[in-house]
């Protein structure tokens, strides 16, 4: 059975800290891994990763994929209160056109 | 701006009622999906559709059905609502072609069954 596991499930830090969110996966036929940010409403797309070792970066957020060890990390540097959200990791299985999601990490940034 | 619109943001229904959750997308996407989101469990796929009048069961289809009569609209139906169907329901759509950047989500419907 395809599975995606995120850790930690919950994280509370102070503004300015750097955080690392983890996502590991076991799928039959990997195609891509995606990260989403969910505040009060719809999850919004952050990154899609398909190749190992290539960092994707957007402002203070970055992510990298390791296809050998089957995991990805999402880094957020110099965190701000606006980064408080649930971060979702999902894996797309080749040929399936659907995503398998992890449980999500609830990140809280305190001022 | 492209959109996936879910008809209700909050809904309260009684046990045994038939419930319709509506989702409309304006992006001409082939694929549409219904997920439910529960704390600690993440998003779990209920049903999805690759095309008009086509549907596929996801991981937790029991107690649900779907309808896709038009490309832009995908409805989730709870035939007889139960309290364990209290949850956040998220609709999403995507292109069928390879290389897409994932889903576009609706804002969700928080359903409470009392």
């Amino acid at each position: 059975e395809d599975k995606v596991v995120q850790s930690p499930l919950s994280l509370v830090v102070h503004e300015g800290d750097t955080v690392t969110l983890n996502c590991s996966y076991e799928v039959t036929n990997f195609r891509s891994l995606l990260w989403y940010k969910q505040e009060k409403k719809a999850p919004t797309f952050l990154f899609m990763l398909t190749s190992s070792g290539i960092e994707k970066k957007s402002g203070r957020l970055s992510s990298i994929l390791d296809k050998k060890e089957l995991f990805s990390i999402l880094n957020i540097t110099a965190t701000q209160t606006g980064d408080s959200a649930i971060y979702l990791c999902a894996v797309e299985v080749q040929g399936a056109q659907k995503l398998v999601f992890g449980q999500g990490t609830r990140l809280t940034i305190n001022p | 701006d492209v959109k996936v619109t879910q008809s209700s943001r909050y809904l309260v229904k009684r046990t045994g009622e038939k419930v319709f959750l509506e989702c409309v997308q304006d992006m001409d996407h082939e694929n549409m999906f219904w997920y439910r989101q529960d704390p600690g469990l993440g998003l779990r796929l209920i049903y999805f559709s690759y095309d008009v009048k086509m549907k596929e069961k996801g991981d937790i289809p029991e107690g649900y059905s779907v309808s896709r009569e038009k490309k832009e609209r995908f409805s989730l139906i709870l035939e007889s609502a139960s309290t364990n169907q209290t949850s956040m329901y998220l609709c999403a759509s995507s292109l069928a072609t390879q290389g897409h950047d994932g889903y576009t989500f609706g804002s969700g419907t928080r359903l409470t069954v009392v």
Side-chain angles (χ1 to χ4, degrees):
Chain A
E1 185 186 337
D2 298 326
K3 192 164 65 170
V4 177
V5 176
Q6 292 184 245
S7 65
L9 295 183
S10 181
L11 185 59
V12 181
V13 300
H14 289 293
E15 206 167 16
D17 287 352
T18 292
V19 298
T20 298
L21 309 183
N22 304 294
C23 176
S24 63
Y25 61 92
E26 293 177 32
V27 298
T28 48
N29 202 358
F30 175 90
R31 177 166 178 252
S32 65
L33 185 144
L34 298 97
W35 284 97
Y36 289 86
K37 177 183 181 183
Q38 184 181 22
E39 296 172 88
K40 294 196 188 302
K41 297 184 179 180
T44 53
F45 173 78
L46 293 175
F47 298 113
M48 181 173 74
L49 303 152
T50 55
S51 302
S52 273
I54 298 174
E55 186 183 51
K56 293 259 180 128
K57 204 167 167 60
S58 175
R60 297 177 292 103
L61 276 67
S62 63
S63 183
I64 198 160
L65 174 67
D66 186 329
K67 289 169 75 173
K68 184 179 175 187
E69 300 297 329
L70 307 182
F71 77 91
S72 173
I73 59 171
L74 175 68
N75 276 323
I76 309 174
T77 59
T79 52
Q80 302 170 357
T81 54
D83 295 326
S84 295
I86 296 172
Y87 289 84
L88 299 167
C89 173
V91 171
E92 184 179 18
V93 177
Q94 190 76 257
Q97 293 194 57
K98 61 184 174 92
L99 299 179
V100 179
F101 282 85
Q103 317 95 304
T105 294
R106 182 178 290 276
L107 176 63
T108 303
I109 310 296
N110 288 328
Chain B
D1 197 16
V2 294
K3 272 192 178 169
V4 176
T5 304
Q6 293 184 230
S7 54
S8 303
R9 190 88 177 95
Y10 298 96
L11 214 50
V12 180
K13 295 290 182 182
R14 295 195 180 277
T15 301
E17 275 193 80
K18 190 168 186 175
V19 182
F20 292 86
L21 302 183
E22 305 289 344
C23 176
V24 177
Q25 51 98 1
D26 64 0
M27 297 165 283
D28 202 33
H29 282 175
E30 292 85 0
N31 301 335
M32 295 188 76
F33 307 83
W34 275 105
Y35 283 87
R36 63 177 282 177
Q37 184 176 23
D38 300 289
L41 297 177
L43 273 70
R44 293 180 292 165
L45 182 63
I46 305 171
Y47 267 96
F48 58 105
S49 170
Y50 291 145
D51 202 349
V52 176
K53 297 196 185 293
M54 292 182 67
K55 60 185 178 185
E56 298 279 345
K57 290 181 180 179
D59 300 316
I60 51 164
E62 297 78 19
Y64 303 95
S65 62
V66 290
S67 172
R68 193 157 181 209
E69 296 296 318
K70 294 184 178 181
K71 190 175 185 180
E72 66 271 19
R73 185 180 296 271
F74 193 37
S75 303
L76 180 70
I77 304 154
L78 286 66
E79 297 291 342
S80 177
S82 63
T83 53
N84 64 13
Q85 292 178 310
T86 291
S87 187
M88 169 70 89
Y89 289 87
L90 287 166
C91 175
S93 70
S94 73
L95 286 168
T97 53
Q98 288 194 347
H100 68 89
D101 61 358
Y103 294 176
T104 301
F105 283 90
S107 296
T109 295
R110 187 166 291 283
L111 173 66
T112 302
V113 182
V114 297

